[in-house]
Amino acid sequence: MVISTEGLSFHFGNQQVVKSLSLQVPEGSIYGFLGPNGAGKTTTIKLLLNLLKTDQGSIHIFGKELKSNRITILSQIGSLIEQPAIYLHLSGKENLMNRALLLQISEQRVDEMLALVHLTDAAHKKAGKYSSGMKQRLGIALALLSDPKLLILDEPTNGLDPNGIIEVRELLIRLVTRHSKTVFISSHLLGEVERMATHVGIIDKGELLFQGSIQDLEAISQPQVHIELDNAVDAANFLKKHGFVITDINDKHLSVPYASKIQMGEINTLLNKNGHMIYSIHKIHQDLEKLFLDITQQA
Amino acid sequence: MGFWSAVLLPLLICLLLFTGFFNKSEHLANLPGVVVWLQFAGAILAVMGSLLLPMLIVFIAYSVNSIEHKADTWKSLFSLPIPKWSVYTAKYVYAFSLVLLCLGLFLLFTIGFGNLLSVLKPVLKFNEYHIESILAQTYLKLLFSALGILSIQFLLSLLFQDFLKPMGIGFTATIAGVILANVDWKYAYLFPYAHPMLTIKSLLKNKMGNGPGIPQITVDLFTKDILVSMAVAVAVFILGYFILLRKSVK
């Protein structure tokens, strides 16, 4: 495990922000850390970077205890927290050079990073005049500058346009698959995480509600048989009489939990024989978006 | 910002004074060289002790830390593989060097413009007396006397994001310090913000002490107020580091 926490807790004043969190982030994964705004994502990230002092519990990164190995661990982490931290009176390149000077990194690497995030043309423009997407890209370049083994990114696609989002996503996937990095990325958008994450942790009100691979998450979402037909209400009543459970209904379609292909055929025949006109019938996976809402609302 | 204020302030003040002396040279003509020098350098030193130096430090200490508050870069600075004490010490050393630079330039410009005046207006007998060493010692003592304030203001600017808090505290304390020094309160030497004023006052005392005639000035560098200033500087610096260690980064 690259990141492993146990019973991690933190509170601001009386408010418990992080409750007994046990994260397990495997090496070479893109770990999507999902949760609505205010769920405790940024606080958790700040705990992982030793910016906030842990109340209770332990944090191990690269198998080492964080507090006693702060410098060694931080030297292998690149991070972007909330709004990118940028000196607005300096140009994009100066911002990177400043960091490079602190970490003894060559100017060549700075130019590479500028090219990577497509800021070469704007390298000498003051960062204060950057658009929010450009600032975000500069923030990502700063995080990548030291070629870290672990990237911790807090909502990195905030403020990016669709092209920018796709670029960042592809960049992160490339980093993991080709350069065997590990990425820990927080987001409140399930769709975004779904498209790139290999592992997911869902947090709400400071508590971890789900953790596992993306396949695990899909597995707990029960597939449904989605039937579109002329009179959904009558059909639903009819199916109920025959012992089916109706999970969703409106005037155009209804849903029944999926059991097998044969069951789907049976439903089809049953409805047809009783004069219901079926327009379509197919199996669907429950929308992860809905699952995410279910998980976070149950808590 | 701090850097340019440290350069421009001495330049502008000395330039102003230079113009004043240049235009009013007939009033000062034929005064002994030492008196002309004392009037020239003393005009700066008088405000320096009461307000200029403490306020300059308030501003420099603020500017060094506000750059990180403003850009919200403390979090990224402290998530770099750099020990916290290096960040803290580097910031402090930079603030100190700005104060050093500023006082150094005051010294340099005072001597420079004084000599320039003596060339342009030979009636002013600047060339009769050499104030360099005494002036250098005075500015060195001022630097030492300011160390306590520097540490306190540095810590305040580190803790508070806005300018008003460190500025308000610094300003109030400076006024209090000037008053305490001027009323010759017995324990004024224990109050850091009174130290620059005490330094200037001790110069004047020496000047008066010799009665009429040619003033003889000596600078007693390590008086007890200077020692207190240095002790406060070291103590607050160390205290500040431990506060920083325990503080959460927002």
Side-chain angles (χ1 to χ4, degrees), chain A residues 46 49-53 70-71 74-75 79 81-87 89 99 102-103, chain B residues 67-68 71-84 245-250:
Chain A
K46 285 185 175 173
L49 291 170
N50 196 232
L51 291 173
L52 299 174
K53 303 283 167 230
R70 182 177 167 266
I71 304 288
L74 288 181
S75 66
S79 61
I81 314 157
E82 293 175 308
Q83 307 308 312
I86 290 168
Y87 299 107
H89 63 290
R99 178 70 61 87
L102 282 173
L103 301 178
Chain B
I67 188 169
E68 312 296 347
D72 201 8
T73 35
W74 287 116
K75 60 186 186 197
S76 64
L77 212 49
F78 286 128
S79 55
L80 294 179
I82 298 171
K84 284 186 176 177
L245 270 191
R246 306 202 55 188
K247 202 179 166 255
S248 287
V249 184
K250 282 194 190 115

Side-chain angles (χ1 to χ4, degrees), chain B:
Chain B
M1 219 168 39
F3 176 78
W4 286 111
S5 66
V7 172
L8 289 177
L9 189 76
L11 182 65
L12 288 177
I13 290 185
C14 290
L15 205 62
L16 208 68
L17 207 63
F18 168 81
T19 333
F21 270 64
F22 187 81
N23 290 328
K24 289 205 165 180
S25 52
E26 47 302 350
H27 294 286
L28 303 158
N30 301 318
L31 283 175
V34 59
V35 178
V36 186
W37 267 116
L38 284 179
Q39 291 215 356
F40 190 62
I44 298 170
L45 286 174
V47 271
M48 181 68 93
S50 55
L51 211 62
L52 203 57
L53 185 57
M55 284 297 110
L56 182 81
I57 288 171
V58 167
F59 187 72
I60 286 177
Y62 166 76
S63 74
V64 168
N65 289 315
S66 82
I67 188 169
E68 312 296 347
H69 287 311
K70 251 193 243 159
D72 201 8
T73 35
W74 287 116
K75 60 186 186 197
S76 64
L77 212 49
F78 286 128
S79 55
L80 294 179
I82 298 171
K84 284 186 176 177
W85 67 263
S86 340
V87 176
Y88 179 71
T89 316
K91 289 253 162 215
Y92 187 85
V93 167
Y94 183 61
F96 172 77
S97 9
L98 285 182
V99 179
L100 181 71
L101 172 75
C102 183
L103 290 180
L105 287 178
F106 263 116
L107 174 66
L108 197 72
F109 289 145
T110 309
I111 294 169
F113 281 119
N115 283 311
L116 187 64
L117 275 172
S118 93
V119 174
L120 296 176
K121 294 269 173 174
V123 275
L124 297 175
K125 296 180 180 163
F126 275 109
N127 55 345
E128 270 186 3
Y129 184 76
H130 283 281
I131 199 168
E132 286 87 347
S133 113
I134 216 81
L135 203 58
Q137 286 179 52
T138 306
Y139 274 105
L140 186 63
K141 189 171 177 181
L142 273 174
L143 179 70
F144 289 155
S145 78
L147 289 177
I149 308 179
L150 181 64
S151 281
I152 295 171
Q153 288 299 138
F154 183 77
L155 181 58
L156 289 176
S157 314
L158 196 75
L159 298 180
F160 299 119
Q161 285 213 16
D162 60 327
F163 181 52
L164 282 179
K165 283 178 196 131
M167 164 75 192
I169 296 170
F171 189 73
T172 316
T174 302
I175 301 293
V178 171
I179 293 172
L180 290 181
N182 277 328
V183 299
D184 286 320
W185 187 48
K186 216 171 22 163
Y187 299 111
Y189 73 92
L190 290 174
F191 187 55
Y193 291 82
H195 293 156
M197 195 64 205
L198 286 173
T199 301
I200 299 300
K201 279 193 62 153
S202 72
L203 283 178
L204 295 174
K205 256 182 216 151
N206 284 334
K207 205 164 73 171
M208 309 288 193
N210 288 285
I214 303 291
Q216 200 68 44
I217 305 167
T218 50
V219 179
D220 185 7
L221 208 50
F222 293 102
T223 46
K224 59 184 173 180
D225 52 314
I226 296 301
L227 296 177
V228 171
S229 167
M230 288 173 153
V232 169
V234 173
V236 176
F237 178 77
I238 294 169
L239 176 77
Y241 175 62
F242 282 104
I243 291 177
L244 182 75
L245 270 191
R246 306 202 55 188
K247 202 179 166 255
S248 287
V249 184
K250 282 194 190 115

Side-chain angles (χ1 to χ4, degrees), chain A residues 47 83-85 121 159 163 168 183 267 290:
Chain A
L47 287 166
Q83 307 308 312
D121 291 338
N163 274 335
V168 169
V183 176
I267 295 174
K290 196 163 172 296

